[in-house]
């Protein structure tokens, strides 16, 4: 199937990738969801034309070094795995537009991700991330950033909002104030001063 460009193997928990299996190098999109796997299948290695990878709800903990070959990626969805770190080589994925890493075990985010020239959306929700790199303020393309369910404090969230000079939608589960926080919410009625 050397002209195949899309493949979906979702919801097959019993699926086993034979060690000699090689998927066609022509693939541009692959979806692997709810598989009982603990590492990226080696059969993906020849697929350097991949533009979209969706690999979710597995037991994968690491992104392998050979993943650096996927420089054409524009969408990378890795939600609900067990991934513990984002490798530094992903800071060179200049075509990446959407990166979703929610529901993993990440405690840090590489600063260079925010400097990717085409990155429009980044989701790191439901990870034990404690800090957001200051490079978020230098992003020229980011439109939305989800950090719901992280360990980022409300104080840091407010500091991030002040650093950013352009419109970026940031999802965070702390209280959100639309205007000046030090003023009463109902200024037209003095009895609602608190």
């Amino acid at each position: 199937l050397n002209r195949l460009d899309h493949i979906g193997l979702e919801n097959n928990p019993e699926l086993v990738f034979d060690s000699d299996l090689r998927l066609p190098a022509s693939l541009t999109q692959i979806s692997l969801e709810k598989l009982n796997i603990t590492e990226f299948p080696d059969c993906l290695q020849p697929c350097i034309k991949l533009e979209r990878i969706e690999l979710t709800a597995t037991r994968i903990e690491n992104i392998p070094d050979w993943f650096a070959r996927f420089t054409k990626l524009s969408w990378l969805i890795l939600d609900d795995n067990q991934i513990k770190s984002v490798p530094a080589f992903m800071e060179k994925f200049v075509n990446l537009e959407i990166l979703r890493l929610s529901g993993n075990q990440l405690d840090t985010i590489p600063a260079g991700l925010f400097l990717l020239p085409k990155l429009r959306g980044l989701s790191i929700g439901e990870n034990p991330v404690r800090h957001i790199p200051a490079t978020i303020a230098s992003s020229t393309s980011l439109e939305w950033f989800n950090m719901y369910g992280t360990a980022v404090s409300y104080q840091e969230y407010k500091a991030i909002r002040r650093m950013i000079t352009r419109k970026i939608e940031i999802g965070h589960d702390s209280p959100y104030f639309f205007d000046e926080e030090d003023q009463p919410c109902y200024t037209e009625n003095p009895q609602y001063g608190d």
Side-chain angles (χ1 to χ4, degrees):
L1 299 173
N2 59 10
R3 294 176 62 190
L4 187 69
D5 61 3
H6 294 64
I7 192 168
L9 301 170
E10 305 94 337
N11 299 307
N12 287 290
E14 302 303 317
L15 182 66
V16 175
F17 293 94
D18 293 336
S19 60
D20 60 345
L21 173 67
R22 290 294 177 259
L23 292 174
S26 56
L27 280 181
T28 60
Q29 295 186 34
I30 190 165
S31 180
L32 306 170
E33 179 183 354
K34 295 183 182 173
L35 302 180
N36 190 20
I37 57 176
T38 57
E39 54 189 40
F40 278 85
D42 284 335
C43 59
L44 290 178
Q45 288 195 45
C47 306
I48 60 171
K49 293 181 182 177
L50 280 169
E51 296 172 10
R52 292 184 181 213
I53 295 176
E54 183 171 350
L55 195 146
T56 60
T58 72
R59 294 182 296 124
I60 288 175
E61 295 182 8
N62 298 303
I63 299 172
D65 291 340
W66 54 259
F67 206 82
R69 299 180 205 168
F70 298 144
T71 57
K72 294 182 188 253
L73 279 177
S74 61
W75 286 57
L76 181 57
I77 314 299
L78 298 175
D79 294 336
D80 302 319
N81 295 297
Q82 300 295 317
I83 297 171
K84 296 178 180 175
S85 65
V86 178
F89 63 72
M90 286 181 60
E91 296 178 1
K92 297 178 182 167
F93 283 6
V94 295
N95 294 306
L96 201 57
E97 295 179 32
I98 304 294
L99 177 58
R100 289 191 2 212
L101 296 162
S102 292
N104 282 286
Q105 301 297 317
L106 303 172
D107 62 0
T108 57
I109 301 299
L113 287 182
F114 292 103
L115 303 177
L116 290 172
K118 295 182 181 178
L119 190 67
R120 294 183 292 118
L122 175 59
S123 179
I124 61 161
E126 304 302 326
N127 277 289
V129 173
R130 296 180 305 276
H131 300 289
I132 303 303
T135 50
I136 189 173
S138 302
S139 173
T140 57
S141 57
L142 198 64
E143 297 171 8
W144 58 267
F145 176 52
N146 168 25
M147 59 179 186
Y148 284 107
T150 62
V152 176
S153 71
Y154 181 54
Q155 300 305 324
E156 183 169 335
Y157 168 73
K158 288 195 313 184
I160 290 168
R161 295 297 303 177
R162 283 192 288 272
M163 281 191 310
I164 296 172
T165 58
R166 55 184 208 81
K167 185 177 181 191
I168 298 176
E169 181 182 323
I170 300 179
H172 188 262
D173 39 7
S174 290
Y176 185 81
F177 297 93
F178 291 95
D179 295 312
E180 177 57 49
E181 294 180 32
D182 298 328
Q183 299 298 318
C185 294
Y186 302 99
T187 55
E188 70 278 358
N189 189 335
Q191 82 182 61
Y192 295 126
D194 290 337

